Amino acid sequence: MADLINFEARAPSAQTAVDVFRDRWACDLRPLLGVDGTGPNLLFTQDPRPKLAAAALGRNDYCGMHVLEIGPLEAAHTYVLEQMGAESVTCVEASAEAWLKCLVVKELLALNRSRFLHGNIVAFLHENCRHFDLVYCSGVLYHMADPVELIEAIANTADACFVWTHVYNSERHPVAFTAERVRRLGIEVDYWSHQYGSKADNYWGGIDATAAWLTSEDLLSAFASAGLSDINLIEDQPDHPNGPAILFTARKP
């Protein structure tokens, strides 16, 4: 990452903006901006999840919807949500570096219906009084030390949610997990927890020292118990390279 107190001698451009975080990006911005030095993942241009989420909700777009996006990372899905007509997208990102990258993308791609907030999503939801049409939660739940707390907070904020997350499977787990039986929302679930390693270079994990994964069964039961019981399982991904994953929508009946 460039030294943020340095000055830039080149004329302003998309390249000078992305170079502030050169070689630290997760997503590829070349197709949209013609820049180099960004990441390998084509989340801006080839990720099917925003369209799959809309279809699972019986829609072709997000027109008229006010969306709360949790953990936007580098605003790739935010960009697609705007492209698909979202009336507004409120994004909450805990990582300072990711939040600043979102602001770079907001400027470069003119995301004029999106707002990026820096902070803890659970604290935000506990203080939030606004109702959203949809919570968009991709790549977040498996980073939470207390995932059911977040699920309950989501259910108190919106009538619908899209989720993509890794889930625990005893036959295939990427790291060593420790099980803890917890009772929340009137049900018992297993928290399969693991310790994060170093939070230094290119860390994309959660804000806590540990993260708890749920089995897919416990995860869906938690959403149902929180009141989002109309569940549409879009895809089960048992062979995902970083561990089994699922994507689904959950709505209030």
Side-chain angles (χ1 to χ4, degrees), residues 144-167:
M144 305 302 296
D146 187 354
V148 178
E149 180 184 20
L150 177 56
I151 292 168
E152 184 174 13
I154 288 171
N156 290 333
T157 300
D159 295 330
C161 181
F162 166 74
V163 175
W164 179 89
T165 185
H166 289 298
V167 292

Side-chain angles (χ1 to χ4, degrees), residues 7-250:
F7 293 89
E8 176 57 66
R10 296 169 292 176
S13 67
Q15 190 64 62
T16 61
V18 300
D19 279 352
V20 173
F21 299 101
R22 187 175 183 86
D23 298 326
R24 293 182 64 87
W25 293 85
C27 301
D28 188 0
L29 282 160
R30 180 186 291 272
L32 296 176
L33 297 170
V35 294
D36 58 26
T38 58
N41 300 298
L42 297 169
L43 271 63
F44 282 92
T45 53
Q46 295 186 25
D47 193 328
R49 285 174 287 188
K51 290 184 178 180
L52 289 172
L57 294 169
R59 304 175 61 99
N60 295 318
D61 54 39
Y62 294 96
C63 289
M65 297 189 77
H66 296 278
V67 181
L68 172 63
E69 184 182 3
I70 302 176
L73 186 60
E74 293 170 0
H77 286 176
T78 318
Y79 166 75
V80 180
L81 290 169
E82 275 210 17
Q83 290 293 108
M84 294 181 66
E87 182 73 18
S88 70
V89 188
T90 301
C91 308
V92 180
E93 175 58 63
S95 163
E97 181 176 327
W99 175 65
L100 290 170
K101 289 175 182 174
C102 287
L103 297 182
V104 171
V105 169
K106 176 182 172 71
E107 183 66 24
L108 293 178
L109 297 181
L111 302 183
N112 54 23
R113 299 194 305 278
S114 298
R115 185 184 182 200
F116 295 92
L117 308 177
H118 177 44
N120 181 342
I121 183 58
V122 175
F124 170 82
L125 289 173
H126 285 331
E127 296 177 359
N128 171 65
C129 296
R130 180 182 176 186
H131 180 272
F132 291 91
D133 298 308
L134 174 70
V135 172
Y136 191 94
C137 181
S138 180
V140 174
L141 272 169
Y142 64 95
H143 288 308
M144 305 302 296
D146 187 354
V148 178
E149 180 184 20
L150 177 56
I151 292 168
E152 184 174 13
I154 288 171
N156 290 333
T157 300
D159 295 330
C161 181
F162 166 74
V163 175
W164 179 89
T165 185
H166 289 298
V167 292
Y168 179 77
N169 185 316
S170 61
E171 296 180 357
R172 184 174 178 270
H173 48 276
V175 296
F177 289 89
T178 302
E180 178 189 3
R181 193 73 169 169
V182 299
R183 183 170 182 81
R184 301 290 296 273
L185 297 174
I187 61 172
E188 290 188 349
V189 297
D190 287 319
Y191 275 14
W192 293 91
S193 299
H194 68 91
Q195 293 278 339
Y196 281 116
S198 170
K199 293 190 176 184
D201 293 339
N202 292 335
Y203 173 76
W204 305 112
I207 65 174
D208 297 302
T210 62
W213 291 23
L214 298 170
T215 64
S216 57
E217 294 81 8
D218 281 352
L219 177 65
L220 298 179
S221 292
F223 271 92
S225 296
L228 298 170
S229 56
D230 182 3
I231 294 172
N232 186 343
L233 181 60
I234 302 169
E235 191 173 336
D236 189 357
Q237 301 173 331
D239 298 321
H240 191 283
N242 295 324
I246 60 172
L247 56 157
F248 61 94
T249 57

